[in-house]
Amino acid sequence: MKIPFGDLKRQYDQLREPIDRATQEVYSSGWFVLGQHVQRFEAEFATYCGAMHGVGVGSGTEAIHLALLACGVEPGDEVITVSNTCVPTLSAISFAGAVPVFVDIDETTYTIDPARIEERITSKTKAIVPVHLYGQCADMDPILEIANRYGLVVVEDCAQATGAKYKGRMAGTMGHAGAFSFYPSKNLGAFGDGGLVLTNNATIADRVTKLRNYGQEKRYYHAIKGFNSRLDELQAAILSAKLPYLDQWNDRRRQIASRYDQAFSSLNVVCPVEAPDRVHVYHLYVIRVPQREQFQAFLAEKGIGTIIHYPVPVHLQASYSEYRDQGTYLPITEQQRRDIISLPLYPELTDDEVDYIIHTVVQAMTASSAIADC
Ligand SMILES: *Cc1c(COP(=O)(O)O)cnc(C)c1O
């Protein structure tokens, strides 16, 4: 069997008819940027999440960037976040001219450890960007409590957590703003780049609406300096066609995750932990194994694609080397990157494929414990 790490063709094959209909509508409308499809998707997505406003933007990176600006983050401000994330979280903070301050992660959920936030707060701290990594929300209540006490803004990075919940609340609705990505491989993916800022605050929504469109207030009247960062009509139409399926896709992800959890429970594998009050949507199924390189090679030989998310935390990237010394605060981040590995997990995997992945992981682990026992 050959099982790629991801396969976006499968979803299109299932939804060819509604997606083709939606895109045809855009072609024949003759209107391609900021029209009725974007408006409709913004409303649908905000309703799905139970928030007041959704503002479509060009990408998830831009969603974080514009949300930070709209929340008043200025050059030189410090923004607290994690190093164990996809680099775009940091691209957005850098775009805003802000200085990232890294906090270590919780060892079981891989999300920001709220107990380590306060020691990193200074007079320059303006915002916290918790990342709902791999599909699970960060522990938001203590984060919000600290933010409230210090007067900080909270922008949730929800790029990997569309549809995830924390104590019954949807990802993206707990902070001042939530930033979503519709990059094709995300749980709700477009056919190109796309993103959205979710907020219950009308002023923030209004600022993002201007910022994404050259700072324009009404046509050719520019209230503030802005950018070009818009969700386009085609992507919005595709996203509207897909949104009704998001919950069932996330359920299927959870079902596969639970099969993996059970099958690997007796192996020397650390499985993802879903915290009791959270609904994990398994954007990624990340395990920790000893001898990762051999494990990955074994699976590759058996036709199973795997990826490391992420091999190099941001503070150890060449592009962010000025923050390397913050590593002293990040022992867990630096440790876990050595043995994490992501298995294929997407709604379109067949039961046979899931069986094959399980069988192969069991085989790999039994082989490796035989090596370790010698
Ligand atoms: C994908 C991702 C982003 C960026 O989204 P884009 O749409 O690719 O710009 C930001 N943060 C995290 C955690 C992501 O996974």
Side-chain angles (χ1 to χ4, degrees), residues 321-356:
S321 57
E322 68 266 46
Y323 305 117
R324 186 155 295 202
D325 57 358
Q326 293 193 28
T328 52
Y329 293 95
L330 310 170
I332 297 169
T333 299
E334 291 195 356
Q335 180 54 42
Q336 59 97 42
R337 77 175 180 118
R338 295 174 206 284
D339 51 17
I340 48 172
I341 182 165
S342 311
L343 298 177
L345 195 166
Y346 37 99
E348 299 79 20
L349 281 178
T350 65
D351 288 338
D352 282 350
E353 287 172 323
V354 174
D355 287 340
Y356 180 74

Side-chain angles (χ1 to χ4, degrees), residues 121-275:
I121 293 178
T122 73
S123 58
K124 291 186 179 162
T125 309
K126 179 77 192 197
I128 305 176
V129 177
V131 179
H132 301 326
L133 200 70
Y134 305 151
Q136 173 158 240
C137 288
D139 189 5
M140 289 302 291
D141 275 348
I143 296 170
L144 295 169
E145 187 276 318
I146 293 166
N148 195 30
R149 193 145 40 84
Y150 287 88
L152 307 177
V153 160
V154 176
V155 173
E156 299 169 61
D157 180 343
C158 307
Q160 301 191 359
T162 308
K165 290 182 191 161
Y166 175 87
K167 299 186 181 173
R169 291 174 275 166
M170 295 294 284
T173 63
M174 296 172 275
H176 295 79
F180 290 83
S181 166
F182 306 119
Y183 182 79
S185 65
K186 304 286 160 121
N187 288 34
L188 179 64
F191 285 7
D193 281 310
L196 182 138
V197 176
L198 198 69
T199 182
N200 286 318
N201 181 311
T203 309
I204 294 173
D206 182 57
R207 283 195 196 140
V208 175
T209 304
K210 291 189 180 104
L211 286 169
R212 73 173 173 186
N213 195 29
Y214 330 120
Q216 189 164 281
E217 173 116 37
K218 60 180 188 196
R219 200 163 198 184
Y220 305 135
Y221 289 82
H222 300 258
I224 53 175
K225 293 190 182 76
F227 304 85
N228 175 350
S229 176
R230 302 171 296 222
L231 182 65
D232 65 66
E233 288 282 288
L234 262 182
Q235 302 308 334
I238 291 165
L239 290 165
S240 280
K242 283 185 163 198
L243 182 59
Y245 299 91
L246 177 61
D247 281 343
Q248 81 193 46
W249 288 332
N250 281 344
D251 286 348
R252 172 69 179 156
R253 285 177 183 272
R254 290 175 54 74
Q255 187 185 34
I256 297 169
S258 138
R259 290 210 45 214
Y260 286 165
D261 289 345
Q262 275 170 29
F264 306 152
S265 62
S266 57
L267 303 177
N268 188 16
V269 166
V270 180
C271 290
V273 174
E274 179 181 50

